[in-house]
Amino acid sequence: MAIQVGVSIDRSSPVPLYHQLAEQLSGAIASGMLQPGDPFENEIALAERLSLSRPTVRRAIQELVNQGLLLRRRGLGTTVANRKVHRRAELTSLYDDLKRDGGRPATTVLKHEIVRDERVATALDLPADAELLSIIRLRLSDERPLAILHNWLPPVYNDITREDLEGEGLYAVMRDRGVRPVVAHQTIGARTPTAAERRHLGLKPSEPVLTMTRVAFDAVGNAVEYGDHSYRAQDYSIEVMVDKR
C-alpha cells in the first residue's frame, strides 16, 4: 500500500502548484520517508486527496520521473526508484552535494602520498618535477560505495592529512586554508571499470562507470587541483544545461 505523504499547498504563493508538490514529494524521498521500491500514491488518489487537478499532479510526478526519483512501469504502477545522486554541472564537491541532498557521506582514504607526475604537473602549470600530493579516496553515501576520487594537489597543500580528508570534503579542507575553487575545466565520460574499481565499488565487469576529469582554478586563475574520478553509473548522474548561442 502506498504511503501518503503529508503535503501543504499554498494557493496564494507565486510558486506553481506542481512545483510545490514536486518539491515536497522529493523531500519525502530524500528524507527516507519513501524508500526505494515503495509503491507511490497514484495520480488520481493524490489529486483527490490534495484537491488538485490531475494535470498538475501528473506534471509533478513527471518531474520526479525525469529526476530519476520515481520509476513508472506499465502494469506495475509507479514506485520509488533506487537512490541516485544527481549532480549539476557546476563547481561543487561530491561531499557537499551529498550533504545538501540529505545523505550521509563518508570517506575512506585509500592512498595518500607525495608523487611526481609530469602530466599532472603540466595540467597544474607547475614544473615537471614538482612534488604533488596524490590522494585516492573511496566516497560512500549512506554506507554504500559511490565513487573513487583521485586528486593531485600542488605542493602548497602537502600538509593536508588523511584525517583532514576523512572528516570533510576536499573543497571544504581547501576553504579552511583560504582557497576557494571558482571555475574548472572538466571532461565527462564513461567506460568499463578497472579491477580496482570493480572491487571498491562492488561492480560487475559489464557495469560501467561514469568518469570526470577536472582541473579547478581559484579566483586569480591559479590551478588548485587536478581530479580523475569514477562513479557508479547506476547511482549517479550529472545534469548539464545547454543553451543556443
Side-chain angles (χ1 to χ4, degrees):
M1 183 176 179
I3 296 174
Q4 291 188 346
V5 176
V7 174
S8 176
I9 299 295
D10 182 0
R11 287 174 167 78
S12 65
S13 171
V15 178
L17 299 181
Y18 83 89
H19 187 71
Q20 292 185 48
L21 177 58
E23 284 293 295
Q24 293 178 67
L25 295 176
S26 65
I29 296 172
S31 70
M33 179 182 179
L34 296 176
Q35 292 289 316
D38 281 351
F40 192 79
E41 191 173 4
N42 69 59
E43 176 186 306
I44 297 174
L46 193 56
E48 290 179 351
R49 180 166 68 87
L50 301 176
S51 298
L52 293 172
S53 69
R54 287 184 61 184
T56 294
V57 173
R58 186 179 305 121
R59 186 170 179 183
I61 291 175
Q62 188 60 47
E63 286 282 311
L64 302 188
V65 171
N66 293 344
Q67 294 174 34
L69 298 176
L70 294 180
L71 183 63
R72 278 178 167 158
R73 292 177 178 172
R74 188 179 300 275
L76 298 176
T78 303
T79 59
V80 179
N82 290 331
R83 283 195 176 91
K84 193 172 191 176
V85 176
H86 296 266
R87 188 169 187 183
R88 297 184 184 277
E90 58 188 12
L91 194 54
T92 60
S93 75
L94 178 56
Y95 192 96
D96 292 341
D97 291 338
L98 292 169
K99 288 190 68 175
R100 179 197 63 205
D101 292 340
R104 293 180 292 117
T107 304
T108 299
V109 178
L110 303 176
K111 187 173 289 188
H112 178 283
E113 61 183 349
I114 303 299
V115 302
R116 290 184 174 89
D117 187 308
E118 183 175 354
R119 175 182 63 90
V120 174
T122 299
L124 294 173
D125 198 24
L126 295 170
D129 61 350
E131 293 188 336
L132 310 172
L133 176 60
S134 170
I135 50 177
I136 302 177
R137 295 164 294 154
L138 176 64
R139 178 60 43 74
L140 301 98
S141 175
D142 298 322
E143 301 182 351
R144 298 179 59 214
L146 176 64
I148 297 175
L149 312 173
H150 191 176
N151 296 85
W152 292 261
L153 305 179
V156 68
Y157 302 111
N158 286 355
D159 64 328
I160 291 177
T161 67
R162 284 176 172 265
E163 291 72 23
D164 291 333
L165 297 165
E166 289 175 346
E168 55 187 346
L170 174 60
Y171 280 10
V173 172
M174 297 175 77
R175 289 195 296 268
D176 290 343
R177 285 164 167 74
V179 175
R180 183 180 296 273
V182 296
V183 67
H185 178 272
Q186 62 186 29
T187 302
I188 299 166
R191 57 172 170 76
T192 56
T194 65
E197 288 167 339
R198 293 198 301 269
R199 182 172 68 255
H200 288 300
L201 297 177
L203 294 171
K204 298 176 182 177
S206 59
E207 294 177 321
V209 290
L210 286 178
T211 62
M212 180 192 293
T213 302
R214 166 192 283 179
V215 182
F217 303 86
D218 64 14
V220 296
N222 296 318
V224 294
E225 67 105 0
Y226 182 95
D228 189 1
H229 310 323
S230 56
Y231 307 83
R232 285 177 56 95
Q234 58 266 59
D235 294 325
Y236 190 86
S237 67
I238 299 170
E239 298 177 10
V240 180
M241 180 177 290
V242 297
D243 61 7
K244 183 178 180 181
R245 297 293 184 182

